[in-house]
Amino acid sequence: MSEKLEWKNYRFITPLSVFFVVVLIVSNIVSTKLTTIWAFTFDGGTILFPLSYIFGDIITEVYWYKEAKKIIYLWFISALFTSSVIILVWVLPSASDWHFQEAYNQILWLTPRIVLASLIAYFVGEFSNSYILAKIKIWMKGKYLFVRTIGSTIVGEFFDTILFVLIAFYGVFPDNVLLIIIISNYIFKVWVEILFTPLTYLIVNKLKKAENIDFYDKKTNFNPFKF
């Protein structure tokens, strides 16, 4: 397997990227609803959102940190576009026989704020996640994949969850509810990562063989703002 990433058309990077972006966009929209399952209270996006970290792990592990960075910025553009369209439709005059403006305001108007929260939180969380995963891979010489996927998620989701909940919902829900959401979100996301570890192993191994690549970020510049 190659340790040097060559500029060629890898077969699976495009569907991975599309899935990655779609998961994040949908998560932002459905985060406008709070749900309670058993003892956990969290926003609706939490059900889907952990998959973004799992696929972020897969992309960083198989390809390289810069590929993950490129896809994160692709999502940034997509998220900003989504919010812009929601705001544009909000300011357009309603048709005389359309009586759901208030419902639109209550549900979708929160989405731009959620997108802003997601942009900031995911920027910090996912770059922390990818950085830690890439570094641990070098330190452990590619062994013990579960250590870097779970370890990087524990750190990345910690920053992501706190920033997202505070920016998205501060002032919308009481402080005690915010604390419950933060704790519930964090526990749920980390457990999803742990439970999906066998599937992560399977996908990573198959991708490395199919793409004939196993990249180590030994000389990578990890500055998220450097293109």
Side-chain angles (χ1 to χ4, degrees):
M1 294 185 182
S2 171
E3 291 190 3
K4 181 179 181 181
L5 189 65
E6 299 175 354
W7 293 107
K8 69 177 185 178
N9 184 26
Y10 290 100
R11 289 183 293 166
F12 297 103
I13 192 63
T14 298
L16 283 172
S17 303
V18 171
F19 186 83
F20 183 91
V21 172
V22 169
V23 164
L24 287 170
I25 294 296
V26 174
S27 296
N28 287 338
I29 296 174
V30 299
S31 288
T32 55
K33 177 179 178 177
L34 286 187
T35 183
T36 299
I37 301 177
W38 298 307
F40 298 100
T41 297
F42 44 78
D43 62 272
T46 303
I47 296 175
L48 188 62
F49 181 78
L51 294 179
S52 67
Y53 269 77
I54 292 172
F55 274 81
D57 289 345
I58 292 171
I59 292 168
T60 304
E61 170 69 23
V62 176
Y63 301 94
W64 61 341
Y65 172 85
K66 287 186 178 180
E67 192 65 39
K69 180 168 69 173
K70 182 176 68 176
I71 297 171
I72 292 172
Y73 276 106
L74 176 62
W75 165 69
F76 266 45
I77 297 171
S78 301
L80 290 174
F81 176 78
T82 301
S83 293
S84 299
V85 172
I86 289 174
I87 294 172
L88 174 63
V89 174
W90 176 74
V91 300
L92 290 175
S94 302
S96 58
D97 57 346
W98 193 75
H99 309 292
F100 305 103
Q101 183 65 36
E102 186 60 30
Y104 184 95
N105 294 348
Q106 291 179 348
I107 301 300
L108 286 181
W109 182 239
L110 190 59
T111 300
R113 178 175 174 178
I114 289 175
V115 169
L116 174 63
S118 185
L119 288 173
I120 297 173
Y122 197 72
F123 184 90
V124 176
E126 178 55 32
F127 276 121
S128 299
N129 178 79
S130 295
Y131 174 82
I132 292 172
L133 188 144
K135 285 295 188 181
I136 293 178
K137 182 177 182 179
I138 296 172
W139 295 337
M140 294 190 168
K141 299 180 180 179
K143 298 178 181 179
Y144 311 115
L145 174 61
F146 72 95
V147 173
R148 51 186 180 275
T149 57
I150 296 175
S152 61
T153 295
I154 288 174
V155 176
E157 290 286 15
F158 176 79
F159 291 117
D160 187 293
T161 302
I162 292 177
L163 289 172
F164 176 79
V165 173
L166 292 180
I167 297 173
F169 300 123
Y170 184 79
V172 178
F173 303 113
D175 291 348
N176 64 314
V177 175
L178 292 179
L179 181 60
I180 293 173
I181 295 173
I182 290 173
I183 295 173
S184 298
N185 277 15
Y186 183 66
I187 293 174
F188 181 82
K189 291 172 183 177
V190 172
W191 269 110
V192 168
E193 177 72 47
I194 294 172
L195 292 175
F196 273 72
T197 296
L199 180 60
T200 302
Y201 263 86
L202 177 65
I203 295 175
V204 164
N205 290 333
K206 286 187 175 296
L207 282 175
K208 286 179 179 179
K209 291 180 181 179
E211 303 282 36
N212 190 32
I213 184 175
D214 187 7
F215 191 82
Y216 286 73
D217 287 280
K218 294 180 179 178
K219 297 181 180 180
T220 299
N221 187 328
F222 288 94
N223 184 349
F225 301 104
K226 185 176 179 59
F227 298 94

